[in-house]
Every structure is written in C-alpha cells, then in structure tokens.
Amino acid sequence: MNTSASNPEPAPSSPNREEAIFDGALQLPPGQRAAYVEAACAGDAALLRRVQVLLEAHEKAGGFLNPAALPAPAVGAQGTIVISPLPSEKPGDVIGRYKIRENLGEGGCGVVYVAEQSEPVRRRVALKVIKLGMDTKNVMARFEAERQALAMMDHPNIAKVLDAGATSTGRPYFVMELVRGIKITDYCDQHHLNTRERLDLFIQVCNAVQHAHQKGIIHRDLKPSNILVTLHDGIPVPKVIDFGIAKATEGRLSNLTVYTELHQFIGTPAYMSPEQAEMSALDIDTRSDIYSLGVLLYELLTGQTPFDPQELLKSGLDQMRRTIREQEPSRPSTRLSTMLNADLTEVARRHGSEPPRLIHLIRGDLDWIVMKALEKDRTRRYETASGLAAELQRYLHDEPVTARPPSSLYRFQKLVRRNQTVFLAAGAVLAALVLGFGFSVYELRRALAAERAERKEVEAKLGLVEELHRRQLIGEQLRNAGLLISQGKMEEAEELMRHVPAMSADSIIYNVLGDVHADRTNWDAAIQNFSKSIEVDPTNYTAYHHLTPLFLRIGDADAYNRLRQAMLRQFAGATDPAIAEDIALDCLLLPPTTTDLAVLNQMVSAAQTGATNEETVLNAELAKGLAEYRGGNFAASAGRLRKVAAKKGDKDRTLQALIVISMAQQKLGQTDQASATLAKAADVAGNDFPRIHDHDWNDQLTAEALMNQAKAIVGDAPQKNAAAQ
Amino acid sequence: MSDVTRILNDIERGDAQAANDLLPLVYEELRKLAAAKMANEAPGQTLQPTALVHEAWLRLAGDEYKQWDGRAHFFGAAAEAMRRILVDNARRKKALRHGGGQQRVDIQDVDLAGALEDDQLLALNDALDRLAARDKPKADLVKLRYFSGMTIEEAARVLNISEPTAKRWWAYARAWLFAEIQTAN
C-alpha cells in the first residue's frame, strides 16, 4: 500500500494546510472538531481525508511516544540511574516567606513560579529560582547583577525586584513583581494591532530601556519573551522583565562581570547584536540593546526576525556569527513582499490590514528607521533608545525622519572597510563584466552622449556597474563567476553559482547569465537565471522586465500571469518613469483584468508625468496606447500610437506601435487598413525578424508576442509577412 | 578535561567538524553503559534509554560542563545515538528470532527497551526517517523527546522554537507518525 497516499505530507518548514487545520481542530473541544475540519477544508476532499486520518490517529495514539508512559527507570545494583536536571519545587512548597502556587515558566537560567507572600503584605509575586544543575558561580554572578540592577530602577514599564534569598538547598532565588502578561509579539498579533498601535507599544518599551540605560544598565537580552504586555484598566502596558544578564557600565557592578566568561554565548541569536556575536563581551554597550530593539521592531512589523532563528541555529556557531556580523537583512517591506502569499495575508490579517496596504505603509520611512537600528556598525545606529522613540514619534506625526537610505558611496565605503578581499572581489567582478561585454565606463559614457537610440541599453549597463558598487555581499565565488563569465564559460559560472547560497549571491550575476542565455536563445536557461535573480533580490526590476517576454516566448501564460501579479504588487507605486513604463508595458502584453488595468493606467500616468526626455515620453506613450487598446478605447489607441510610430528612433518601438495600431484598426472594423498596417509592421521588422542576437532580444520578443496576437485577429497576413516568419 | 568536554568546547568555538566527532563518542559511551548495567541486572529487566542518556551526560561531561549550548549538542547527539542503538538491537533480536541459527545471546541482545516492541520500534524508525525527509525539525523534536528524554521545554530550547510551537509540532508529529505506522502495517 502506498502510505504517502493516505498520510499527509508536511512541506518542510513551509506552512501546510493540513497542519494548520489539524492545529486548529485541536484547539476545539472534540465534539466541534469534525464540523470545523469540514468547513476549513472547503470541499477539498483529499485534504479533508488527510486531516481526518490525522485526527483519528491523534485520538487513538494514546500513550504512543509519551515519554511519561515509559517504564520507570530500572534501579541497578549501583543505585539509581537518573538524576533529573529539572526543577524540584512544586506547588505548596514554601521558600522563605513565599509559598509556591504554580509554575509560570522557564527562562534564561531559572524557573519562575507564582508565589504567595503572606507578610508583611499579602500579595502574589514572581519567584525565580536558579535551575538545578546550572548553579555555577557564573549564573549566580549574573543573578546578583540582576538583583542590584533591578533595585536601581523604578519605571512603570520595568518589572521591579522585591526580594532575594537562598532556598534550603542553597540555591539563590529572586522575588519580582508578578507580571502576568503575554509576549509583546503575541499580544500584537492576537489583538490585531495595527502598525500605529504596535509603534505606540514599542515606544513605551524604548522609554523603559532608556530609563535602564540612564541608570547604567544594559539589558543585553531584549526579546519578545522578556517584554510582556499586561492590561491595566483595559490599556495594554508593556513590561520589560528579566534583566537577568544585565551588566552595569559603572564600576560598582563591573567586578561581577569577571565571572562572565568571554566565550559564553549569552543571549538569543536572533536578537543578538553583531558586537555580541563577536563575543568580545567586554565591549558591549547600550547600543547592543538598540540593535535588539531594532530586531523587535522588525518582528512587530513583519512577523519575522531579520534572520530566521532556526536557520541561525542550524548553520553552526561560526556561520551564525558571520551572518549576524556581515549579512544585511532584507528591508521589512522587502521581506513582506517576498513572503508566500498565504503568509503575507496572515501577517496582514494580524495587523488588521491587507497585504498591499501593509507593504505600502512600511516601505520608506519605517524601512529606514528599522535598518538604522540594525546597522552592523553601532556608531551608525540611533545613539539612544529615546532617539529611536523620538524618530518613531516623528514618523507617527508625519514629520520628516532622520534615517535615510544610505548613499551608494557610503555603502561602497562600508564594503571596503569591512573586508579588503571582498572589495578586491567586487573590483574583479566589475572588471570581468566590463571586459566580458567589451564595454568600459568611458565608452559607456561616450555612447550615452552620442547614441540616443541606444540610450536605454547603455543606461542598463551603467546601472549594472552602479549596482555592483551598491551590492555588499560579493564574495570569492562571485568574483570567480564573474571571471568565468568574462571568459565565456557560462556553464562553469552557472555551476559555481549553484553553490553560492542564495542570500549571499548577487542578483546582478544571475541577470548577466540570463541576459547571455537569452542572447543565445537558450530560453529555459535564461528563465532559470532571471527567476533566481528575483529570488535573491525581489526588488530588481530588470529580472521581471526580462522574464515577461520570455514566458510568452515559451508559451507559458500561467507563469506570465503569476509574474504579472508579483510585478503589480512590487512596482504598483513605482515613480521612476523608466521603471513604471517598462513594467506597465510588460504587464499589458496579455489582456489584464479590469482591476489590474486600473493600476497599470496609474503607472502609465506616473511615467508620463515623470518623463524628462523624449525617449521616456515616447515609451510612456506606447504603454498608454497599449493600455487604451486593452481598455477598449481603440480609436484613441490608434491615434496616439500613429504619432509614436511616426517618430524616428527606436525601431522596435515603431514596430510595436504599428502592431497595436493594426489590432486597433481591426477592432474598429477597418480590416483593410489593419492588414496594411500589419504589412508595414512586417516591413519594419525585416526578413530576419525576430533578430535575437543583437542585445535587443527583449524588445524583439515583446514585438513578437504582440505580432502573434495581431496575426490571430487581423486574419490572413499578407504573403510576404508569413514568409518573414 | 574529557574528550567530550574538549569537543563541546570546540563546538562552542564554532568548529563545525567537532559536532561530527561527538556522535561516535556518545554512541560508544551509551553502549558501554548499557552493557555494564545489564551485567548487573536481573534477567528480563529493562533499562530506560532516556535514563541512560542522562547518566552518560553526567559521566562524560556533567561535572565539568554546564553550558547550555554544549548540553543541547550533547543531547542531540545522544538522541541520534540512542536511536541507532535501539534500532540495531531490535534488528538483531529479530534476526535471532527468525532462525539466524545463533545460540549465544550477546549482552547487547537482551532488552534495552522503551515502551515499544521491537517491531514497533523498527516501524517507528522507518516512519521517523520519512518524517525527517519531509519535515526535519519535527523529526528532530521527536528524537530529542523520545530518545533523549528531553521535556517539551528543553527540546523547544534546543530547536529554538517557542514552547507552544513545540507542543503543536509534537501533537502533529505524533499523530502523523502514528497514522504512518498504522498505514504501513
């Protein structure tokens, strides 16, 4: 029997509907599960069956795999085998003046209980006992630090320390204000807090951290589980708890820190600042907390930390440190727009918003604020927690923020500063590209001035060069890939790129490989490379722009449609006229939905408004004409495009305009003119159309896609055009 | 400083190779420990695998080494080692029963058991491999809990997931494995 047919297959680490529905069902009383599952599967019979099998298994599994149901440990002749490393306190135990009520959870190096204090006042408190088996001097020193540190602080958003002592077995314990709250991230998600409400909570956390910093105390382990939200009269109040590894920058406490061994990995990797990852523990200051706050803000906005904690852990300590120290995380809005649709919808739902609105809201100022807090170089972060809070206040009041995207010069300097070999590699890639394509920057500039017709292509190449300066994660493999490309060894370059982890690769290399493959009419290989490029950098419009005609060339309309949706999501708000006009034209190559057409019309308008030179104006006009055609305004379309076609210059633009005119004429019932216009288009195209091998493959394929549509509706094309095909 | 402590220190320093050295060492220690215990047991007694793992930890590193990271690595390796030992053991016993022709019963062939029968254990082992191929983190969670005897809280920490997530994974993985074993039978 085929087992996999009846058993669900969880997709590795990606959300899985069976699992989600199964989880949901288990939250319900058994009697309500069947109805819920049926509704949740929404008619998907296979899915329903799989979830039912799972739930049935859950009911029947009984003590299966339950470690508690294992036989009691055998007692050997030498005595008992097991020594449990787990806490030994239980409800009812009395420690000092406190009576244990319940286990609240484990954190850091201790176990936290709810305890009852009877004198001098009757109240419930949180009692933290150092875990059995972990009570080294090291941990005791950290607790001692926490006790003193907390006593120095008095802030409504910081949990107070009330008492300290030792249990009868000699283990230290600490008594703190009882905070019955939930993790700040969970609170925000469960209550569907919108971005503004999340920022309000976060600003309070900044203020608490600022207070601690002013007392000379660094938290060093800020993370959601240490920031709990409680309700006071219905108003959510965040409380920072567990200054358990706080370290004073003042001398009074510093003698305790000698116990903190240099190599001991303190903190949680996902929230750890680069300098903490460096593990030169003596060099941690308040700016590490600013970084952790940046991670928290990132998570509050996107639902994810900048680096996947599981990936970090799995990658091993060395790689983990390198990632935290060197890898630039995606901007929050980029992270959102690269999520799977289902994930993004879920994140947006938790923000009480919809995906496009959420991305739009975060893109820009919030992106830069988060990225400034997350700067690898701490001197470039916000100097204080209150500085970060003030910046967010400015954002909330629609005032200009100080965080700005780093200039390309700054990024380049940063690149050089960080790693000499990386810098050399970047230079080598640049050289390789320049050699490989027979261009030099000088020539590019000259060509730019002299050859208006080639302007677009030259700009693209110049863009490549500039992009190289901007990219920051170019390593040895990229250098070699670049060299191989320059030597025309495309297969070897590709082989090499397969071993470059996607995140550290540079989209530009994939774009170059895709470009070369397309030039050689290797459509599939070109598609693979451009797809990879989008994976690496979902904001790079070049790859999208190249993929659209390629998908049409291989006749994959589904892929085209999916790509179009991604483009609309990514570039709907594009203001750069060159990008807006290209993307709009790409998205109009097949008839769009009415909704999408409205968005595309806006993009075209943006391109028309922003166009500063004749080329851009004409390209925007072409896109506008096609949009009108798609919208059924055939007369307007034909009229507009006749003017475009009349202009000398880009031959492919003229060709594309003529093709659309012929289709418009056909729709207007002017069948003779339509055939004549199409014949004229075929003349312009020439006998060797489509000529791919002259770097114009994109324009050629675009024209070809339109030409195929025109032939389908204009009817029998004149004989000589058929021959040309 | 014991070998294990040295390896754990290497792992802490980020030596990726060191983690590979850990498994055979832990494996050997567990085998020796099991053999020694069994020599002192009355026939028919069973040893609890998770108890062995904890004892191995105390013997190999317990007094010298108390850092969480190393402990997490150790229990991860121990879970894998214990799984191999149990599966080997079950396979060998099965071979004997099916007329392998051997008369002598080796010390390692007597019961070293969890709650599952040998056949069930082998079926679980296969199912676990299939789960690991599809969703490795969940299979890791099962190994840590079942073979290393970690609590949900400890396993959650090793895998760096929240406790509620670990609980959800556990429920799902357990039902998945149960269904898988049932269907395979």
Side-chain angles (χ1 to χ4, degrees), chain A residues 415-430:
Chain A
L415 176 75
V416 174
R417 203 169 45 234
R418 188 162 56 243
N419 192 324
Q420 193 68 21
T421 59
V422 167
F423 165 62
L424 290 173
V429 175
L430 175 60

Side-chain angles (χ1 to χ4, degrees), chain A residues 30 50 82 137 248 276 292 317 365 370 395 511 522 640 662 672 680 701 711:
Chain A
R50 289 197 299 274
V82 129
K137 281 181 188 167
Q276 278 172 303
S292 302
L317 214 51
D365 284 350
V370 172
Y395 168 79
N511 282 344
N522 301 330
R640 182 184 306 275
S662 82
D672 290 348
K680 196 172 157 200
L701 291 185
K711 281 182 184 165

